[in-house]
Amino acid sequence: MDYQLFHQKSPAPTTTAGQHVRHLRRQAALSQLDLALMAGVSQRHLSCVETGRAKASPSTLHALLSALNAPLDQCNEVFLAAGYAPRYSTTPLESPTLDVVRAAIDHILHANDPAPAIVIDSNWDITAANVSTGLLLAMAGVAQDVGSGLNLLETLFCPGGLGDRLANAHEIRAAAWQRASRESVSNPALAERLNRFPSPGFVLPAPTASPLLLTRVCTADGELRFLSTFTTFGMPLDITVESLRIEHLIPADLSTRRRMMQAFNDWNADYGHE
């Protein structure tokens, strides 16, 4: 089977602001009328902006990009293409400016114990994790350390990673690959990372009776089952903050909940007061 990724071609570096807007609108499968109504501008003006017959003001560009839910780094590209200064900065996560963000992340991670939780950036690098994540990897027999620059895609797809310990690896890998592929359209670094993997060409299986996709982890003492959900920062004004998401693995049954609680309590008894 020939496995390939198919992406909508991204605009060239010399693309005008209007062409950027048209590309984003088509990616969102919106008509000009749809976008005009959402952004509060006339369809005629939007058409003129897209074709270059009119230059959008900063406020109009902001309204259009907000309606398109465009990533902040792409918003900067559009503002630059229109001749305006970029609006959004990329602040290092360790900067004092983001103290409140780091504090919020730490609180969420600790509050999620004894359920695993990890912080993922735009390249799917795991930038932080709670104690229960390490306990889960140990229970699954995965010899990887989330504190040493682990990438979620690599541990799912590379030999020896978590992917090898999933009872439904095909489903989880398919979902991860499809999501990462969509994100890589506007993220060259992620696209380069994906190109280093053998393209699996995963297709999600037909829906079953369950409305949710479970993460089913094999351990020596039986299977652990988790629901996956994500937390992101609402209305971010910084590219770094926008790129972060926290994945929570919520125990999907009583047995999983009890085993994670026991593992966490045992760890806490041995190391919690150090």
Side-chain angles (χ1 to χ4, degrees), residues 21 24 30 34-42 45-46 56-70 75 78-79 87-88:
V21 171
L24 290 167
L30 295 173
D34 291 333
L35 178 56
L37 291 172
M38 293 168 63
V41 302
S42 71
H45 184 53
L46 174 57
S57 66
S59 60
T60 296
L61 276 182
H62 178 74
L64 292 169
L65 295 169
S66 296
L68 289 164
N69 198 28
C75 291
V78 179
F79 279 108
R87 286 198 165 194
Y88 305 105

Side-chain angles (χ1 to χ4, degrees), residues 105-162:
I105 289 173
D106 288 343
H107 173 76
I108 293 171
L109 291 178
H110 291 313
N112 215 66
D113 280 320
I118 58 176
V119 182
I120 312 166
D121 67 12
S122 60
N123 295 322
W124 291 58
D125 289 325
I126 300 175
T127 63
N130 64 0
V131 168
S132 296
T133 300
L135 296 176
L136 175 62
L137 293 179
M139 294 164 72
V142 177
Q144 291 179 321
D145 181 6
V146 292
S148 60
L150 187 62
N151 180 272
L152 183 56
L153 293 173
E154 290 179 357
T155 193
L156 286 176
F157 290 102
C158 294
L162 181 60

Side-chain angles (χ1 to χ4, degrees), residues 140-187:
V142 177
Q144 291 179 321
D145 181 6
V146 292
S148 60
L150 187 62
N151 180 272
L152 183 56
L153 293 173
E154 290 179 357
T155 193
L156 286 176
F157 290 102
C158 294
L162 181 60
D164 289 346
R165 303 299 300 154
L166 297 178
N168 59 336
H170 179 82
E171 293 176 319
I172 299 302
R173 286 168 170 162
W177 186 270
Q178 290 182 359
R179 177 166 184 162
S181 297
R182 291 194 301 269
E183 294 173 358
S184 71
V185 174
S186 58
N187 184 342

Side-chain angles (χ1 to χ4, degrees), residues 3-262:
Y3 297 133
Q4 295 182 354
L5 290 175
F6 296 93
H7 298 316
Q8 184 173 344
K9 188 176 180 181
S10 298
T14 56
T15 301
T16 66
Q19 290 170 329
H20 271 291
V21 171
R22 180 172 56 195
H23 172 77
L24 290 167
R25 175 178 62 77
R26 289 176 174 174
Q27 265 194 335
L30 295 173
S31 68
Q32 283 188 343
L33 179 59
D34 291 333
L35 178 56
L37 291 172
M38 293 168 63
V41 302
S42 71
Q43 182 180 0
R44 180 177 180 180
H45 184 53
L46 174 57
S47 176
C48 290
V49 168
E50 289 190 355
T51 58
R53 296 195 302 272
K55 181 177 179 178
S57 66
S59 60
T60 296
L61 276 182
H62 178 74
L64 292 169
L65 295 169
S66 296
L68 289 164
N69 198 28
L72 299 186
D73 55 347
Q74 283 191 283
C75 291
N76 278 348
E77 290 181 17
V78 179
F79 279 108
L80 284 169
Y84 304 121
R87 286 198 165 194
Y88 305 105
S89 60
T90 305
T91 307
L93 187 57
E94 62 274 12
S95 168
T97 307
L98 298 185
D99 282 350
V100 66
V101 173
R102 294 196 306 277
I105 289 173
D106 288 343
H107 173 76
I108 293 171
L109 291 178
H110 291 313
N112 215 66
D113 280 320
I118 58 176
V119 182
I120 312 166
D121 67 12
S122 60
N123 295 322
W124 291 58
D125 289 325
I126 300 175
T127 63
N130 64 0
V131 168
S132 296
T133 300
L135 296 176
L136 175 62
L137 293 179
M139 294 164 72
V142 177
Q144 291 179 321
D145 181 6
V146 292
S148 60
L150 187 62
N151 180 272
L152 183 56
L153 293 173
E154 290 179 357
T155 193
L156 286 176
F157 290 102
C158 294
L162 181 60
D164 289 346
R165 303 299 300 154
L166 297 178
N168 59 336
H170 179 82
E171 293 176 319
I172 299 302
R173 286 168 170 162
W177 186 270
Q178 290 182 359
R179 177 166 184 162
S181 297
R182 291 194 301 269
E183 294 173 358
S184 71
V185 174
S186 58
N187 184 342
L190 180 58
E192 182 180 354
R193 184 185 294 276
L194 286 177
N195 287 335
R196 295 203 297 265
F197 295 129
S199 300
F202 285 126
V203 176
L204 281 172
T208 62
S210 173
L212 297 169
L213 180 60
L214 299 179
T215 298
R216 299 165 52 201
V217 183
C218 299
T219 76
D221 296 320
E223 185 176 290
L224 298 173
R225 297 159 63 89
F226 299 92
L227 301 174
S228 179
T229 185
F230 288 92
T231 295
T232 59
F233 287 91
M235 297 182 288
L237 299 176
D238 184 275
I239 294 171
T240 298
V241 177
E242 183 191 48
S243 74
L244 299 174
R245 61 181 185 265
I246 303 174
E247 181 175 10
H248 310 260
L249 290 180
I250 303 171
D253 53 49
L254 184 58
S255 173
T256 299
R257 189 177 303 113
R258 285 174 172 169
R259 289 179 60 193
M260 290 306 305
M261 177 65 79
Q262 184 62 56

